Amino acid sequence: MPTPKDDDDVEYERAFHRAQVELVKFQKHVIRNGQKVLLIFEGRDAAGKDGTIKRIVEHLSPRETRVVALGAPSDRDRKSWYFQRYVEHLPIAGEIVLFNRSWYNRAGVERVMRFCTEQEYDEFMQTVPTFEQLLAHCGFTILKYYLDISRKEQEKRLLRRRKDPLRQWKLSPIDAKATKHWKHYSEARNEMLSRTHGVFAPWIVVRADDKRAARLNVIRDLLSRCEFHGKNRHGELPDPDLVSLFDESHLKSGMIAD
């Protein structure tokens, strides 16, 4: 027999249902008005990007929703303009596209693991704000979520991946080096957030040690930032202790994991 759900589980599922109903309203508005919505999800390995994206798209129309999770660049990709392979995946009118990692690979994994040169990294950091400003000028709505977890939580999740045969598809050679390079990833993250946060494409930091709370609050935050027909003006707002626009003070206040 199934285990009875406690009151917290029941309330969580009700809250999630309400949020997903609002998401469906939002998508209908996006389709009707030909909007182009781009959601970017970044974070350390095991930060919860897959699960968060899965819950967002769960009840959305698959025809107007795409999840983009690109693999390692090919030889041709390496010879192309860096943003070129991402451009073809951008949303068209009426679409919502979610990037599970994005062009910010260059500011994170590629930077830490030295998969790019210093020159390539510097060029990216200088040009990405202009690139995103151009997209915004051309009618794209861009929201960038950084899912932040503690070192202890990352270690726990990576261990679970290694032990669970149903999760092992998530394992990669990079995972094995994630905790070893914790400090380097922190430094790369801090520079990325500081230099690429802006009004056209803001970074929204999510404290994601609690997976369920993170998923629910990301959806609430998304809904709070977008206008759409039929929006519940009395709907639940995101918890400001869990989700907030990036600010330099976060790097010293404990809002972001050291």
Side-chain angles (χ1 to χ4, degrees):
M1 295 181 61
T3 304
K5 294 179 180 178
D6 61 30
D7 291 343
D8 287 344
D9 289 335
V10 172
E11 178 50 36
Y12 170 78
E13 291 184 4
R14 287 175 178 168
F16 225 108
H17 177 75
R18 292 192 296 269
Q20 289 181 319
V21 168
E22 291 295 298
L23 269 179
V24 172
K25 292 181 189 177
F26 171 57
Q27 182 173 50
K28 290 174 66 176
H29 183 88
V30 168
I31 295 169
R32 187 181 303 116
N33 291 278
Q35 295 179 330
K36 296 171 284 190
V37 179
L38 176 63
L39 307 177
I40 289 175
F41 290 87
E42 293 290 343
R44 299 179 192 269
D45 294 316
K49 298 179 291 296
D50 293 333
T52 301
I53 290 171
K54 181 178 179 181
R55 295 310 301 268
I56 291 173
V57 305
E58 192 171 12
H59 297 291
L60 298 184
S61 167
R63 289 186 298 276
E64 287 85 15
T65 310
R66 288 186 291 116
V67 177
V68 178
L70 300 183
S74 65
D75 288 341
R76 186 177 187 279
D77 291 331
R78 294 188 183 94
K79 296 177 182 177
S80 302
W81 174 48
Y82 178 70
F83 295 102
Q84 191 162 329
R85 73 180 187 130
Y86 295 100
V87 167
E88 64 178 296
H89 298 287
L90 292 173
I92 62 172
E95 276 192 333
I96 299 173
V97 170
L98 302 92
F99 274 26
N100 187 346
R101 294 197 185 277
S102 64
W103 42 76
Y104 284 102
N105 269 340
R106 176 135 296 176
V109 173
E110 291 190 18
R111 168 70 162 170
V112 172
M113 303 307 296
R114 300 190 182 280
F115 293 156
C116 66
T117 66
E118 284 294 321
Q119 181 179 352
E120 288 171 333
Y121 171 79
D122 289 339
E123 181 180 277
F124 169 79
M125 295 297 279
Q126 291 173 22
T127 59
V128 67
T130 304
F131 173 67
E132 291 173 347
Q133 183 174 348
L134 173 63
L135 293 181
H137 180 74
C138 292
F140 291 86
T141 297
I142 309 170
L143 293 175
K144 304 184 298 195
Y145 288 95
Y146 185 86
L147 276 57
D148 194 56
I149 56 174
S150 64
R151 186 169 190 167
K152 182 179 180 180
E153 181 64 20
Q154 185 190 53
E155 290 173 348
K156 184 171 71 174
R157 293 182 187 182
L158 291 176
L159 178 61
R160 190 183 306 136
R161 284 185 184 181
R162 289 192 289 270
K163 290 185 174 181
D164 186 345
L166 297 180
R167 296 172 184 263
Q168 289 182 1
W169 64 271
K170 293 185 175 184
L171 289 172
S172 73
I174 301 296
D175 287 342
K177 301 177 182 179
T179 53
K180 176 183 176 183
H181 289 284
W182 177 271
K183 180 180 178 181
H184 298 128
Y185 274 111
S186 293
E187 292 170 349
R189 173 205 62 198
N190 294 351
E191 186 166 2
M192 177 188 79
L193 294 176
S194 295
R195 294 180 61 183
T196 64
H197 174 69
V199 65
F200 297 102
W203 277 111
I204 301 146
V205 178
V206 184
R207 303 181 76 172
D209 275 8
D210 183 330
K211 286 184 178 182
R212 293 202 313 179
R215 293 166 185 172
L216 178 58
N217 278 277
V218 165
I219 295 177
R220 285 176 173 174
D221 182 86
L222 165 62
L223 295 170
S224 73
R225 296 184 188 281
C226 299
E227 292 299 320
F228 53 95
H229 180 72
K231 181 175 180 177
N232 181 2
R233 300 296 171 180
H234 304 288
E236 295 95 336
L237 294 174
D239 184 341
D241 290 330
L242 295 180
V243 183
S244 63
L245 281 174
F246 170 73
D247 188 274
E248 287 283 345
S249 64
H250 291 164
L251 302 178
K252 297 180 181 179
S253 67
M255 179 68 183
I256 298 178
D258 290 335

